[in-house]
Structure formats: C-alpha cells, structure tokens
Amino acid sequence: MGIPVLFGIHCHQPVDNFKNVVDEIIEKSYKPFFEKVFPHKWFKFSVHFSGWLLNYIRVNSPETFQLMKKLANEGRIEFFTGGFYEPVLSAIPKKDRIGQIAKLSMFIKDYFGQKPKGLWLTERVWDPSIIPDIAECGVEYMLVDDYHFLSVGFHKDSLNGYFHTEQDGYLMKLFPIDQKLRYFVPFKEPEVILNYLNDVENKGGYCGILFDDGEKFGVWPKTYEWVYEKGWFDRFMSLFADSEHKFKLYSEFAEKNRPNGFAYLPLTSYMEMGEWSLFADKFIELKNLENFLKTTDYKDCIETFVKGAIWKNFLVKYPECNQIHKRTLKLSKENKGDNEKLTDLIYRAQCNDVLWHGIFGGIYLPNLRDNAYKYIIEAESIVDLDKSKIDNIYEEDILMDGYRQVVINTKGLKYIFNTGVGAGLMSLDLKNYGLNLQNTISRRFEGYHKQLLDDRKEAVEDTGISTIHEMSVELSEDVKGKIAFDWYNRYSFIDHFIEEYDFNAVKRCEFKELGDFTNQPFEYTISKNNVRYFRDGGVYKNGEKHNTTVSKSFNAIDKGISFEYEIVTDYGNIYYMLELNFHFFDNEKVTLDGNSFEGIFDGKNKYLICSENPELKIEINFSKKTPIAAIGYNVETVSQSESGVDLTLQGLSLNFIFKVEKGIKFNGELLFEGGQF
C-alpha cells in the first residue's frame, strides 16, 4: 500500500561567507540537486533556504533560482520560512524573531507565490516560549528531531506522524524528523532506504519524515562523487519512481491527517548538539557513559536518560560567543525600529553560525567572527551617534555578568575593558575598517582533542559512505604538536607574573603563573579622560602569598591609547609579563618590524606590526622603563569541522617582559597609523 514520504532539504550558509565557497556549494550541491529532481514529476518535496542564501542564489545563480520557481509553479515544492539570516530564534528578542520570520516569508511570497505554513527551526533548537510569536507569523507547523520526543520517553515507533503542542493557548504542529532517515539519505544504497520505509509501514507508521542539510548532496566529504558521479541519485529516483511510497508535501499531509497525539517537549536540540554544548570534561564523561551503557541491557535507554546541555550553554562555554550575543542583544534593545539599515545590521549579526561550536559551528572560524563584528561595529556606530557617546568614557554591564565594563569611545576607535576578567581589553574596534582588532579566541581544550590524539582509522563502509558524525580522523604529528590549551581569555593588557621566560613555554601556555591577576576582577575609577584599574592581589611562592598590587590606567589620545602601569610587590626578583593579543583579517601577512613574527626579540622601545594593508600599522612605544625582551608568536587552534580537522591561525600574541624588584613603573602608547582614527 505504501506510506507518504515527507522529503525536505534545509540549505544555509553563514551570512557573507566567502563567495568562492558559496559558489562551489551552489554548483556542487544545490544546482545539481534541482536539476536531478526536475524531470521527475512525481517527486514532491519541501525546502528551506535562509533568506540571505536565497537572495544570493537569485543574484549569482539565476538558473538555479529559476528551477526553484518552476518547481513552485508546478506545485511540487513547498517553501518553509524561518529567520531571514538564520538566527537561533530562542536566542533573539521577540521583535527580532517576528521581524526576521516576516522578512523571509515576504521574500518567499514575492518570488515563489507561497505563504509559508511551515518553519525550519534553526539547528532544531527548541524552546516552547517561541510558539506564540511563530504562530502570530502564520506558521502552523515546525520540524524537530525524533530525539526531542525520545528524550521525554516517547517510543520510536509512535513518531511517524505529527503531534500537537501549545504554549499560552497557541497551537503548533510538530513533525519529528527520523534520525535513521537522516543518516541513511544519501549515505546508504536506495534499497536500504526503501526497506526501512517498508519496516516503518509494517509497524503502523503513517509516514516517513526526512528534512536535512541540502549540502550533504554534494559538498559533504565524498558525497559529490557518491551522489552524482557514482549514480546514487539516479538509483534513488529509479527505485522510488515505481515504489508504493509516494512523496508528499508537509502541507498536504498536515491537511489530510490527524495528529498522532499531544506532546510537551523540553529545551533541547539534536542529541549531538547537546553533547557539543557540554564543558569538555563533561563531554568526555558523557561519551564514556554512553559507551558503557552500550555494553549493558540499558543500551536502548541512552536517548531517553542520557542528555547533554542546552544550546545556550555555548554562551557560557565560550566567552567569545557571549560577547557577540550580548552586544547584539544590547543593540536590539536600543533599536527604535525607525532605521531600516540599523535593523538589518542587527539581523545579520544574529546569524547563528558564529555562536557555537560542533562539527558545523563556527566560533573557531575567524571570518565568521569578523563578519559578526563588522555588523556590530557599524550598528553601534549608528546608535552611538544618536546617543552622543563619541569622545566619552562610560561604564555599563554589556555582558550582563554583574560587572560593569568600561568603554572608551572616540570617533574612530572603541575600547571595551572587561572589569571582571583581569581588566583586560576585550574589544578594540577600528570603526572605519569594521574590524575588532581584539577578535581573538583562546585555545580551549575540547572533548574531541582527547580522541584526536588517539590513533584511529576510518571505518570501512560496505553499503555506502560515512556520515560526518561517523567519520574518523587521523592527525599528522605536526598538527598534534600544535595542540595547546589556554586557561584564560586572550584579551590585551593581561598581567602575568613568572619566574623565568622561555619562548616555547610562553607560546604553549605552559609557563607557571605566580600571580592572581590574569583572570580575576579589578576595581576601577573613572575620571573625565581616564580609567584607572587596580587590584590588591598576590604573588604565590611555596604556599606563601606575597602582597602585590597592580595599577593600570588608560587614556584615549590622538590615534590611539596611552597606558601607565605601577606594580608594587614584597616579592623580589620576579618577571612581569604584559600580554597583548591582536587579530587581523589576514594574520599570515603580519610582521614585526618587517621580520618574522615568531621568536624572542630585544627590548627596543618601538614595535611595529604591519598588516597586509600597508595603510594599517600599529606602533607600541614604551617610555621610561622599557621591557628587557618581547616574545611574539602565532595563536593557532586545532578544531573539528565537517571536513575533518582545521588548523587555524587565530591571532598574534605579543608579550613584553619586565624585571621586577619590589616594584616597577612604566608607561607607553598603542598607536594606529592609516585610516581615520
């Protein structure tokens, strides 16, 4: 008899991703997919494209866009709405949630003549509190994973259909995406997929539900060869053309079938996302627990009783994510809604990719952080002009962490100091470049680092190819040697106390820290043109605390900032190390005084960093007491991605060494040349 098959693809690229990357994905994935399905009139399916990507295709690949329009005109394709720039809907304010959905729905109506009834939930991050807003946008049904249901005790065999849920009396239909189908299509032979659908029908299932990344039809590892060159797509179409299982639109199924029942779901995303959002040590413990349970009679209970964290824990796990998120929230709160450009910049900054990390998440991708800050910096410049915050020093709890950050704001530069974490400079915005020069990231220990350091081989697949989640990765010894971990945030004007300095120890963050200043709170005072930070802390040696005070003050000056330090300690013969970290659009094009960046340098007064842009130069001058040495090195991360493992140059670290005997005073300037500062 057969059952309906609800087939959908979700397609998204980070806003303003590299043009060559997006063009390749269109040519290898989206375009051939639509070309393959177009001749098969029986094949109905649903799609979700983020609005930015849809518009990009419209402009840059009109033939692909026209194929979609023809399919829409023939009633063979159903468009799902969502946030125009693909935000996690529960992570943005109500007005932006409604605004972004309305923007994409209007685009779909204008170009494809459809008023979307379905919504793609970004990364399937479920929070019932968003239901009323989504319902008010005309949405009737959403997609979540079957895991959302399994995690609260639903039985797998009961999930082949849709369910009703509600929030504040607003009704919503939920379709649970079948994980097995996600893992089977297109990685298994079509016969395997057909047999699985037969099994679903034999167990009383009402339909097969699939909605997954369109990119896996061509740009996931090995998929272009498998799907197109080796004929998987042709075999799939040939087999299902004569199958009793008919492909239907979600709208058709929702209209003609009653719900399977009622459900209330917890805050969650797909299972892997919950694992990735855990802190690294808990991630390892969770995987160990899962592996243990798989050897017991409780192996079938893992999805119900073993859970990771929620998506928003990424904002706790990664301070770099949190700063982007909180500055965007602040902008949204200050947005009066009467400036279309400002609203669009805020929407763009809300794109989800940069705010998390897993196989796909992008906080370790410098270009995604650069893009987010480009929008934030431009948006804040609009708001600051309106509020007359230029040429001013002020304080506010930007991070919502209970500490008030101090902002020094000039016409061309904005400095934000993190009072609660070492009084470090956490943001240095070059407004005319749209660049946060402090946009660095710490080399954090991730749970998968332990696995990456183990010797493993890729599993052999007999009936298809491996999914991203099943792939194994082997690291070269060179890459293994570059795995290092930081225990503090990579801000600038970070304070260290050490007994000796060594290039490799500093570069690998393996030096022994003797002070309690690097990641601890400071007190502060603000005057008209100056912020002064100070902390009465200690240097610790052999279990004994030696009273130590660090005082540092900052003033905005023409084309830069001046700094003045005073350190007093009752511990003698120790080194103080002042750490600065910078991030350029292209870190590989940066030199120090025209020489290689890495190494130990002498204690000259002037250090010049030149980026690939010859107009943009940074000068660091010390007067009076000068450093005896400087250590410069590249900050590289080893992180997991859909292609395997990425070795990424994140930024540049400059560390100035001073000899301290009971006390020391020094001052200097951080100056910018080129552009308008």
Side-chain angles (χ1 to χ4, degrees), residues 527-541:
S527 60
K528 182 178 180 181
N529 298 309
N530 171 274
V531 56
R532 174 179 173 265
Y533 278 106
F534 55 94
R535 173 177 170 80
D536 294 325
V539 168
Y540 299 82
K541 182 67 175 177

Side-chain angles (χ1 to χ4, degrees), residues 51 66 68 84 88 149 238 245 262 289 329 366 429 508 519 558 560 625 631 639 642:
Q66 287 303 314
M68 287 190 272
F84 192 89
V88 169
F149 287 82
S238 177
H245 306 299
F262 211 89
L289 177 59
L329 281 183
D429 299 345
R508 295 187 58 80
N519 59 1
D558 184 37
K625 183 70 174 180
I631 296 177
S639 58
E642 61 264 40

Side-chain angles (χ1 to χ4, degrees), residues 286-459:
L286 180 71
K287 300 308 289 186
N288 289 339
L289 177 59
E290 288 178 359
N291 292 333
F292 167 73
L293 290 175
K294 288 176 182 178
T295 67
T296 72
D297 294 337
Y298 296 95
K299 58 181 177 294
D300 295 329
C301 300
I302 293 174
E303 290 178 312
T304 302
F305 299 114
V306 180
K307 297 176 175 64
I310 63 173
W311 185 88
K312 282 188 176 179
N313 199 55
F314 285 113
L315 306 178
V316 182
K317 185 177 180 181
Y318 300 107
E320 298 86 358
C321 294
N322 189 55
Q323 183 184 169
I324 292 171
H325 179 255
K326 296 304 181 291
R327 289 177 72 173
T328 307
L329 281 183
K330 182 174 179 292
L331 279 166
S332 178
K333 188 174 181 179
E334 294 174 328
N335 181 21
K336 300 174 183 177
D338 56 356
N339 187 319
E340 186 176 339
K341 181 179 180 180
L342 174 61
T343 299
D344 189 66
L345 289 168
I346 295 170
Y347 285 0
R348 287 172 178 266
Q350 291 170 340
C351 182
N352 82 91
D353 303 76
V354 72
L355 294 177
W356 58 281
H357 174 61
I359 290 180
F360 308 102
I363 190 60
Y364 282 107
L365 297 178
N367 66 301
L368 298 191
R369 301 198 309 273
D370 284 336
N371 287 343
Y373 277 115
K374 176 178 64 176
Y375 311 131
I376 289 171
I377 291 169
E378 187 174 356
E380 286 183 349
S381 295
I382 294 173
V383 171
D384 287 348
L385 282 173
D386 186 51
K387 288 197 167 189
S388 301
K389 284 189 173 182
I390 305 301
D391 295 325
N392 200 357
I393 298 179
Y394 54 93
E395 54 181 317
E396 54 189 342
D397 187 1
I398 299 171
L399 300 179
M400 306 177 85
D401 62 354
Y403 292 93
R404 299 183 69 78
Q405 289 74 49
V406 176
V407 182
I408 302 178
N409 199 6
T410 70
K411 182 178 180 181
L413 297 161
K414 178 183 281 189
Y415 310 85
I416 305 177
F417 293 88
N418 192 329
T419 304
V421 183
L425 181 64
M426 72 177 193
S427 189
L428 204 180
D429 299 345
L430 280 57
K431 297 180 183 179
N432 293 301
Y433 286 90
L435 172 66
N436 178 2
L437 198 68
Q438 197 56 57
N439 179 21
T440 56
I441 188 169
S442 295
R443 301 169 296 185
R444 287 188 172 79
F445 173 67
E446 302 286 355
Y448 56 74
H449 282 127
K450 182 177 183 298
Q451 299 168 332
L452 291 176
L453 292 171
D454 294 338
D455 293 323
R456 299 181 296 158
K457 294 182 179 180
E458 187 171 345

Side-chain angles (χ1 to χ4, degrees), residues 593-652:
D593 277 339
N595 300 312
S596 171
F597 189 80
E598 294 211 323
I600 297 182
F601 309 96
D602 60 30
K604 292 181 180 179
N605 282 14
K606 181 180 290 187
Y607 296 87
L608 184 65
I609 302 174
C610 305
S611 77
E612 61 167 339
N613 186 336
E615 293 181 355
L616 178 56
K617 299 179 181 180
I618 299 178
E619 212 173 89
I620 305 170
N621 295 316
F622 290 93
S623 56
K624 295 184 179 180
K625 183 70 174 180
T626 60
I628 61 174
I631 296 177
Y633 65 91
N634 298 316
V635 179
E636 296 176 295
T637 57
V638 177
S639 58
Q640 204 170 24
S641 73
E642 61 264 40
S643 60
V645 172
D646 294 330
L647 177 64
T648 307
L649 178 55
Q650 299 288 354
L652 311 165

